[in-house]
Amino acid sequence: FIRDRDSRTGERLDRSLVDQMVTDKHKLARELVEEYATKTTMSKDDIQRCIDSISDAIAYVEFNVAPVQQMLNYLEENFDPAGPRDGFSLELRGYSRFSSSSFSSYGRYGLSAYGTSGSEGPTLSHSHSTQYVFVWQSLRLWCKVMRNMHRLWVCADEDLLSTSTSYNLFNTGQGLNRVQSCPRVAKVMRNLLHSTQQEAGQAWVGLSVIHLGDRDVPNALVFIDK
């Protein structure tokens, strides 16, 4: 996998540097093909396909993780978890739905979160510190999910094709769906969530419920799609 952007800033690397990395990659690939062609019964074409497949898998993960990691970097570089910096706050606070100030200023540099059901109060209210932790935990968890997407795909296939877990057809409110438990996917997700919680080193903000095999996420295929 060739990274053509800076991992911190997201800026493109100099073209000459990228060209050199591509040349080095192709040279290394040829060396690996020659080496393993003498150690296995595989043909050189098959070995090359394996290398290309691994490269594609890594590229997919890095392509999806990079923007999330960059947002995490922005959060850590531009905001202080202890409180607002230079007047900019992540605080979520609400006003009356009918207060014009809530629409014009969003509480100075804070934000307001309202529901759509006619309720006059905010549906979410976080201090700056709480919202910082909430965003950090969410982005960190998403990085872990993307880095384990191939593993989750395999588990999803095994759960869907399992002969030990039956399924039922239910109208989940989103049409008729195959509702089936996903024990393998659930185990991986619980481990990723637990790992993120341990890294955070503080109370988890928001829900820690993993919806699988229910009306929200009927089966493993819907989970992967979401």
Side-chain angles (χ1 to χ4, degrees):
F1 171 70
I2 300 298
R3 189 187 299 277
D4 63 351
R5 292 179 179 271
D6 186 279
S7 58
R8 293 291 298 180
T9 65
E11 297 292 328
R12 288 189 179 277
L13 300 177
D14 184 76
R15 187 66 238 179
S16 61
L17 177 59
V18 175
D19 288 342
Q20 183 59 52
M21 289 191 293
V22 171
T23 300
D24 292 343
K25 174 186 175 181
H26 289 162
K27 178 182 177 181
L28 180 58
R30 288 194 297 270
E31 292 175 356
L32 288 172
V33 168
E34 292 298 330
E35 178 182 351
Y36 283 92
T38 63
K39 295 180 178 180
T40 70
T41 57
M42 295 174 62
S43 67
K44 291 184 178 181
D45 286 342
D46 285 341
I47 295 173
Q48 184 63 56
R49 273 192 287 271
C50 288
I51 294 173
D52 291 341
S53 179
I54 293 172
S55 178
D56 287 345
I58 295 173
Y60 169 83
V61 170
E62 294 299 327
F63 179 81
N64 285 282
V65 169
V68 184
Q69 184 60 54
Q70 188 171 348
M71 290 302 297
L72 190 56
N73 293 340
Y74 286 154
L75 176 70
E76 294 174 340
E77 293 170 0
N78 295 286
F79 293 94
D80 186 340
R85 179 189 297 172
D86 299 327
F88 291 95
S89 175
L90 295 173
E91 180 182 4
L92 296 178
R93 60 182 183 273
Y95 302 86
S96 168
R97 284 178 63 90
F98 305 103
S99 169
S100 59
S101 62
S102 65
F103 296 100
S104 60
S105 66
Y106 290 92
R108 193 62 174 169
Y109 296 116
L111 300 173
S112 300
Y114 291 103
T116 58
S117 61
S119 169
E120 293 189 14
T123 58
L124 184 64
S125 181
H126 283 169
S127 67
H128 170 89
S129 297
T130 300
Q131 182 64 7
Y132 181 98
V133 173
F134 176 69
V135 174
W136 187 94
Q137 291 173 341
S138 299
L139 292 174
R140 188 63 184 146
L141 177 60
W142 191 241
C143 279
K144 288 181 177 292
V145 170
M146 293 310 304
R147 289 202 178 279
N148 286 271
M149 187 54 68
H150 294 101
R151 182 182 177 192
L152 287 165
W153 269 338
V154 172
C155 290
D157 283 346
E158 291 177 347
D159 282 337
L160 284 169
L161 300 175
S162 173
T163 57
S164 60
T165 56
S166 60
Y167 69 88
N168 295 288
L169 291 177
F170 288 127
N171 187 335
T172 62
Q174 304 175 60
L176 198 62
N177 278 276
R178 168 177 171 161
V179 180
Q180 182 182 21
S181 64
C182 321
R184 296 171 182 81
V185 172
K187 181 179 180 180
V188 174
M189 283 303 302
R190 282 195 298 269
N191 289 338
L192 296 178
L193 176 61
H194 178 70
S195 174
T196 307
Q197 290 172 326
Q198 293 295 105
E199 288 182 12
Q202 51 191 305
W204 187 258
V205 180
L207 297 176
S208 58
V209 177
I210 300 173
H211 285 281
L212 285 168
D214 56 19
R215 290 183 177 275
D216 292 320
V217 185
N219 55 64
L221 180 61
V222 175
F223 168 79
I224 290 294
D225 186 52
K226 285 179 177 290

